[in-house]
């Protein structure tokens, strides 16, 4: 059971949050100009990394804010938390 | 009756005699006993039958690892409990227990025949023997296995006990109150850490608390005396909470642990009443100290499972703690020093005993002590067989060869009434691995040890592989100082004297002259798997420990292989010729010992099982006889039976009334999202498939929301209340998800939009009045409101007051009738509803529930998202192309609507179905085919909604059918169990295609 440090509320139990999958996948500005393959790339393809992964979480039973999390999926340690729109920390790659 | 209680101890209160029943017979024990110690005091070893071969089995241990003494407690239908370990169950007056694994009784049972036919029950016997014929499984094999295996009986009535949950936060949690745990807790608490110490036993102290060997001393005192003093000390520490009878069930990530505290299990029946039985502690600790100790290993030799064969250290505990001897003529079979402690203890109490030691020689203080007491020791010998049916009466030993692979010389037969075995010690690394920790293997004494890999948990004491007292205390102090970044000096000058083990010899499967195939060398007592089974699995090609485990069922019983896993691994490694450390271990999964469901659910039973949402009109529905349907967490009126109507009749009456005069529905549960901000219109444009910019203030519009993959996600009517203010409605079940999804887009994709979303579902109550007389009823409620079609047409919105309370009124319709939805602040909902009912009396205003609502909308061909759609339907599949804007540059899901897959002509599409026999009602979910003769039958689709329409006087249905759009008039077949139903594809709208009723 993770302890997640919501950037707006502080440390809360995992049960207050929902996971939103991989972060930094930007919705294409002009979807109509994309081929089926390019659109499918945005729509379906995810990295599913074992190791350091950037992902989105929503404090759904709290402040309802979405934010980003850097998590090592091999041991579930959360290494960093940052707000939407902020640049991902550079020391994790 | 024999009395094996041979001396007084401070842990048994001989002034408090306790009577209990075991297998129907009454016995006596004392306060302080466990069921196991009381049985042994009465000379009872035989407590059950083995799982596969139904061999007699006895008590083996004194703790959580017990594989045999598994009991059924009580016989009441609501309170009986299976799978209780007699070794952990504290004795109380009136306890009724029965041995679980025997049928028809423990002394004679039919399954014993399996013992004779055991060559036919090899490893994987479930998979091999009981495979065919398939039909035999249900009727023959399974009942037989269940009956003869006697896996215990579940209670058949609800558990009347009270269970509790509690959340706690600590700086330091110490698991285990043995010597290392006590030192760790003291150091932590004295250095200002808020500390919790838990131990599963009744009293603290672990195995040191009854240690009374003169060769083991701390500060010149017996180690037990020294420890008692420490326990007195820590009880004074204000920073320390001590919880006994509390066992950790699970160690989850981020130091979140579950602990079960037993509060009343040890009390007599009348004292249990109205008290909380067990409490589940949900613990978050900044740091965790694991001091769970180790358990003694059995040895694997022929017939090592007879009653009277116990772990050596358990014999010691029964003697020194409970005052009970397990026999009068005891043999101890060992490969290490610890059995010598048992031997010396027995000797002191005058119990005759001898030692058989695998080692060629040994030279520690303990051994010298035993030798000087004149205890007979057979070094370099191995037990090769045991005898005695219901209890061991003798055994055979032989000399070991130099390499330990065979036996040599002559058999020596020794008589005994009890055999203690000690195959060394296994550190309890369960907690460490549950927390995500990895293990190292130490070859020297063949143990898996915690690999330190995290800054927030640590293992100390014998669970960390430190076995002698000096080692335990010194290392604990050092490690805790480092772990907590403190410099505690309390134990600086502690003087420890203890015997040091110098010699080791481990053989996983002991040699025997008899071929393995003819022996019974048990590895897993509870699941009855033998060394032969494991070797057979390897022979048949299994290599991974996880596979061997499942094939032989080794380690898969309720004890989770606490005694058997190491031997299974050792035998695999030896047989396959690989190093044991390279095999890895099986996974240790929570819970450490079984938990009752009651503990897990706590107070969330009965009314508190699930959150229930009720509308403000709920009481009226109850008073008026409504049957309710669960929609998400909401209780919605399903139908209102009158004069003992069944559902069908009630729905027919309600839906007819709604079309003929007027009906009223509680629509409060629909999701309502308040949308405000200068970009609200743009936002709606992006989330719905149709255009919203031009919607005039005071108008309503139906919208369809897609997922980015183009599939229909939700629908509902949204009203423009003012320039920058909309009220969106969602489906009842989808409200929370829609809000989350909209927030997601707003916060992450379009943060530049000035839009604010607020859930107002619970803030408003909604009464929806429909039918040809709805306008007249509205007129009575709102006499000043101009209800003319010119002023208040379909799909528009007005505000008016009802006795000074503001109402939002939408003229929108989900039934196809002229219809008004009145929204009012939730606290006035009940009054609003009653006023509507009063005003509607003269028009036969009929309350209707969700079933009638579904029927009415189906007559009109309106979809229900989630019933007629299932996450694979596009708007075009639903024949709703009209709602998809061609002009809009983008909206959620737009691009997906012309992917190669979504433009396929042969997708499943929504159609209407009419049965050839108008009285035949289709089953929702029924499959639809074109032809029943071709095999395999090609499935074209399925029925999604089906009703008998009283207004059309025929059966109607909606369905999704492959290429359905082009099939109008096509005859199709719905094959059912007993008949084939003929249907014809129709339009999806069955009633009032011209919308005359809507605008009337
Ligand atoms: Zn938050």
């Amino acid at each position: 059971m993770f302890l997640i440090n919501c950037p707006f509320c502080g440390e809360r139990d995992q049960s207050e949050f929902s996971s939103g999958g991989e972060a930094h996948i930007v919705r294409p500005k002009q979807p109509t100009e994309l081929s089926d393959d390019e659109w499918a790339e945005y729509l379906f393809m995810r990295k599913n990394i074992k190791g350091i992964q950037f992902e989105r979480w929503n404090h759904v039973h709290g402040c309802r804010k979405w934010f980003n999390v850097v998590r090592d999926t091999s041991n579930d340690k959360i290494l960093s938390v940052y707000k939407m729109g902020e640049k991902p920390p550079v020391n994790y790659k | 009756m024999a009395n094996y209680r041979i001396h007084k101890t401070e842990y048994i209160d001989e002034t408090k005699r306790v009577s209990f029943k075991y297998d129907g017979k009454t016995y006596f024990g004392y306060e302080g006993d466990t069921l196991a110690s009381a049985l042994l005091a009465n000379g009872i070893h035989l407590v059950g039958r083995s799982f596969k071969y139904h061999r007699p089995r006895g008590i083996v241990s004194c703790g959580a690892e017990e594989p045999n003494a598994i009991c059924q407690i009580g016989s009441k239908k609501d309170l009986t409990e299976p799978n209780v370990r007699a070794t952990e169950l504290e004795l109380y007056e009136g306890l009724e227990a029965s041995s679980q694994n025997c049928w028809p009784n423990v002394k004679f049972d039919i399954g014993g025949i399996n013992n004779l036919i055991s060559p036919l029950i090899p490893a994987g016997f479930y998979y091999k023997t009981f495979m065919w014929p398939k039909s035999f499984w249900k009727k023959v094999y399974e009942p037989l296995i269940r009956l003869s295996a006697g896996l215990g009986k579940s209670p058949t009535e609800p558990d009347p006990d009270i269970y509790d949950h509690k959340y706690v936060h600590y700086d330091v949690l110490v698991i285990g109150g043995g010597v290392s745990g006590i030192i760790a807790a003291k150091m932590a608490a004295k250095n200002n850490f808020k500390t919790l110490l838990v131990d599963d036993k009744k009293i603290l102290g672990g195995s040191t608390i009854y240690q009374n060997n003169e060769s083991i001393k701390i500060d010149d005192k017996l180690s037990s005396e020294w420890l008692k003093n420490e326990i007195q000390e820590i009880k004074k520490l204000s920073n320390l909470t001590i919880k006994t009878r509390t066992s950790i069930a699970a160690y989850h990530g981020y130091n979140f642990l579950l602990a079960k505290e037993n509060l009343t299990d040890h009390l007599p029946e009348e004292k249990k009443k109205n008290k909380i039985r067990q409490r589940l502690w949900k613990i978050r600790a900044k740091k965790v100290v694991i001091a769970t100790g180790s358990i003694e290993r059995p040895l694997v030799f022929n017939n090592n499972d007879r009653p009277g064969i116990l772990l050596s250290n358990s014999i010691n505990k029964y003697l020194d703690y409970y005052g009970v001897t397990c026999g009068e003529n005891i043999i101890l079979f060992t490969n290490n020093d610890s059995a010598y402690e048992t031997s010396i203890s027995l000797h002191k109490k005058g119990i005759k005993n001898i030692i058989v030691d695998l080692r060629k020689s040994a030279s520690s203080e303990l051994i010298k002590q035993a030798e000087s007491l004149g205890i007979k020791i057979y070094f370099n010998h191995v037990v090769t067989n045991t005898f005695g049916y219901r209890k061991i009466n003798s055994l055979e030993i032989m000399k070991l060869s130099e390499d330990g692979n065979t036996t040599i010389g002559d058999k020596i037969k020794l008589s005994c009434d009890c055999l203690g075995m000690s195959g060394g010690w296994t550190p309890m690394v369960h907690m460490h691995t549950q927390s995500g920790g990895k293990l190292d293997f130490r070859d020297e004494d063949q143990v898996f040890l915690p690999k330190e890999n995290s800054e927030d948990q640590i293992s100390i004491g014998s669970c960390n592989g430190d076995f002698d007292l000096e080692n335990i205390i010194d290392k604990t102090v050092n490690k805790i100082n480092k772990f907590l970044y403190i410099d505690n000096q309390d134990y600086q000058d502690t003087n420890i004297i203890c015997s040091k083990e110098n010699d080791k010899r481990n053989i996983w499967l002991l040699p025997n002259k008899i071929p393995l195939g003819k022996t019974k060398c048990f590895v897993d007592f509870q699941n009855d798997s033998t060394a032969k089974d494991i070797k057979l699995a390897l022979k048949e090609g299994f290599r991974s420990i996880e596979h061997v485990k499942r094939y032989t069922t080794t380690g898969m019983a309720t004890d989770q292989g606490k005694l058997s896993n190491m031997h299974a691994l050792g035998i695999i490694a030896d047989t396959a010729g690989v190093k044991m450390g390279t095999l890895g271990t099986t996974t240790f999964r929570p819970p450490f010992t079984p938990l009752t469901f009651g503990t897990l659910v706590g107070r969330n039973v009965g009314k508190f099982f699930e959150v229930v949402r009720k509308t403000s009109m709920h009481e009226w529905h109850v008073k008026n006889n409504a049957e309710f349907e669960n929609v998400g967490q909401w209780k919605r009126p399903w139908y209102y039976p009158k004069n003992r109507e069944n559902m069908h009749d009630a729905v027919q009456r309600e839906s007819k009334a709604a079309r003929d005069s007027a009906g009223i529905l509680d629509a409060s549960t629909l999701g309502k999202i308040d949308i405000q901000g200068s970009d609200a219109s743009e936002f709606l444009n992006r989330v719905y498939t149709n255009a919203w910019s031009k919607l005039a203030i005071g108008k309503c519009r139906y919208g369809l929301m897609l997922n980015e993959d183009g599939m229909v996600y939700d629908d509902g009517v949204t009203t423009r209340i003012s320039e920058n203010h909309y009220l969106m409605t969602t489906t009842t079940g989808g409200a929370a998800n829609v809000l989350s999804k909209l927030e997601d887009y707003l916060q992450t994709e379009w943060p530049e939009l000035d839009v604010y979303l607020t859930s107002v579902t619970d803030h408003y109550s909604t009464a929806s009045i429909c039918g040809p007389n709805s306008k007249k009823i509205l007129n009575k409620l709102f006499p000043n409101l101009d209800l003319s079609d010119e002023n208040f047409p379909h799909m528009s919105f007005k505000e008016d007051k009802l006795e000074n309370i503001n109402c939002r009124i939408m003229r929108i319709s989900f039934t196809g009738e002229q219809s008004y939805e009145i929204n009012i602040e939730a606290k006035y909902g009940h009054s609003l509803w009653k006023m509507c009912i009063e005003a509607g009396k003269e028009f036969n205003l009929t309350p209707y529930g969700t079933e009638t609502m579904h029927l009415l909308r189906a007559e009109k061909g309106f979809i229900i998202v989630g019933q007629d759609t299932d996450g694979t339907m596009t708007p075009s599949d639903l024949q709703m192309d009209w709602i998809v804007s061609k002009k809009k540059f983008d909206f959620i899901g737009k691009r997906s609507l012309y992917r190669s897959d979504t433009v396929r002509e042969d997708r499943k599409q929504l159609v209407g179905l009419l049965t050839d026999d108008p009285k035949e009602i289709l089953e929702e979910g029924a499959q639809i085919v074109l032809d029943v003769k071709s095999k395999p039958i090609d499935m074209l689709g399925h029925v999604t909604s089906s009703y008998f329409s009283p207004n059309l006087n025929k059966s109607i249905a909606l369905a999704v059918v492959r290429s359905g759009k082009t099939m109008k008039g096509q005859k199709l077949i719905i094959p059912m169990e007993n008949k084939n139903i003929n249907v014809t594809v129709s339009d999806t709208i069955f009633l009032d295609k011209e919308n005359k009723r809507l605008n009337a």
Side-chain angles (χ1 to χ4, degrees), chain A residues 1-3 13 27 29 31-32 34-36 39 42-44 56 60 64-66 76-78 84, chain B residues 252-254 256 284 708 739-740 743-744 747-749 757 889-892 895-896 898-900:
Chain A
M1 193 78 86
F2 302 175
L3 201 57
D13 194 276
R27 189 173 188 273
K29 283 274 172 286
T32 44
L34 300 183
S35 68
D36 270 12
W39 179 245
Y42 159 72
L43 199 54
F44 301 121
R56 298 155 10 104
V60 63
R64 262 171 46 196
K65 285 283 192 183
W66 284 87
D76 279 343
K77 291 280 170 268
I78 291 174
M84 280 297 157
Chain B
H252 295 294
Y254 289 72
F256 180 73
R284 280 270 186 204
E708 206 66 274
L739 181 68
S740 280
E743 282 285 5
D744 187 355
Q747 291 178 31
T748 68
E749 297 295 348
L757 306 176
F889 170 71
D890 193 13
F891 55 83
I892 296 171
R895 175 61 186 83
S896 291
Y898 54 94
R899 289 179 59 238
S900 58

Side-chain angles (χ1 to χ4, degrees), chain B residues 63-172:
Chain B
E65 68 272 34
E66 176 59 37
N68 290 342
I70 310 291
C71 302
Q72 182 90 27
I73 304 302
S75 53
K76 288 187 189 157
K77 281 180 179 169
D78 53 353
L79 281 169
T80 185
E81 188 178 353
N83 296 333
V84 176
R85 290 159 301 285
T87 49
E88 293 191 303
L89 180 68
E90 291 179 40
L91 202 66
Y92 55 84
E93 181 63 38
L95 166 68
E96 278 182 43
S98 51
S99 70
Q100 191 168 292
N101 196 6
C102 62
W103 172 81
N105 70 55
V106 73
K107 290 199 175 135
F108 171 84
D109 75 90
I110 209 139
I113 200 112
N114 286 0
N115 197 16
L116 303 175
I117 58 158
S118 63
L120 306 176
I121 317 181
F125 87 111
Y126 295 106
Y127 309 107
K128 292 169 182 164
T129 319
F130 295 142
M131 271 303 278
W132 304 102
K134 209 172 154 192
S135 61
F136 268 42
W137 251 118
K138 251 194 173 151
K139 285 173 185 149
V140 182
Y141 298 143
E142 202 186 309
L144 229 155
I145 292 172
R146 282 192 185 281
L147 189 62
S148 52
L151 290 170
K153 292 177 196 77
S154 304
T156 51
E157 281 173 16
D159 187 345
D161 281 329
I162 306 166
Y163 298 86
D164 216 8
H165 284 186
K166 187 167 181 175
Y167 288 87
V168 288
H169 295 258
Y170 282 93
D171 294 328
V172 178

Side-chain angles (χ1 to χ4, degrees), chain A residues 4-10 12 16-17 58-67:
Chain A
I4 300 173
N5 191 10
C6 170
F8 305 93
C9 309
R12 293 289 191 279
E16 294 184 16
F17 299 84
N58 183 11
H59 195 183
V60 63
H61 299 299
C63 63
R64 262 171 46 196
K65 285 283 192 183
W66 284 87
F67 57 94

Side-chain angles (χ1 to χ4, degrees), chain B residues 857-863 868 873 877-879 908-916 922 928 942-947 952 954-974 982-991 993:
Chain B
R857 66 86 206 179
E859 289 176 337
K860 275 293 285 179
F862 292 146
I863 58 157
D868 303 299
M873 302 294 285
D877 296 338
L878 294 167
Q879 307 216 36
K908 283 186 183 168
Q909 291 146 357
L910 190 77
V911 295
L913 291 182
L914 291 172
T915 47
D916 290 3
L922 298 174
I928 302 166
H942 65 275
V943 178
T944 59
S945 296
S946 169
Y947 309 91
L952 300 161
K954 64 180 178 189
S955 157
I956 57 168
L958 295 171
V960 292
V961 176
R962 197 195 305 154
S963 306
K965 277 188 201 175
T966 60
M967 280 189 154
K968 205 181 280 182
Q970 173 78 50
K971 296 270 182 200
L972 294 172
I973 300 167
I974 298 187
N982 297 311
V983 296
T984 307
V985 175
S986 74
D987 206 74
T988 54
I989 305 171
F990 301 97
L991 180 118
K993 240 169 253 185

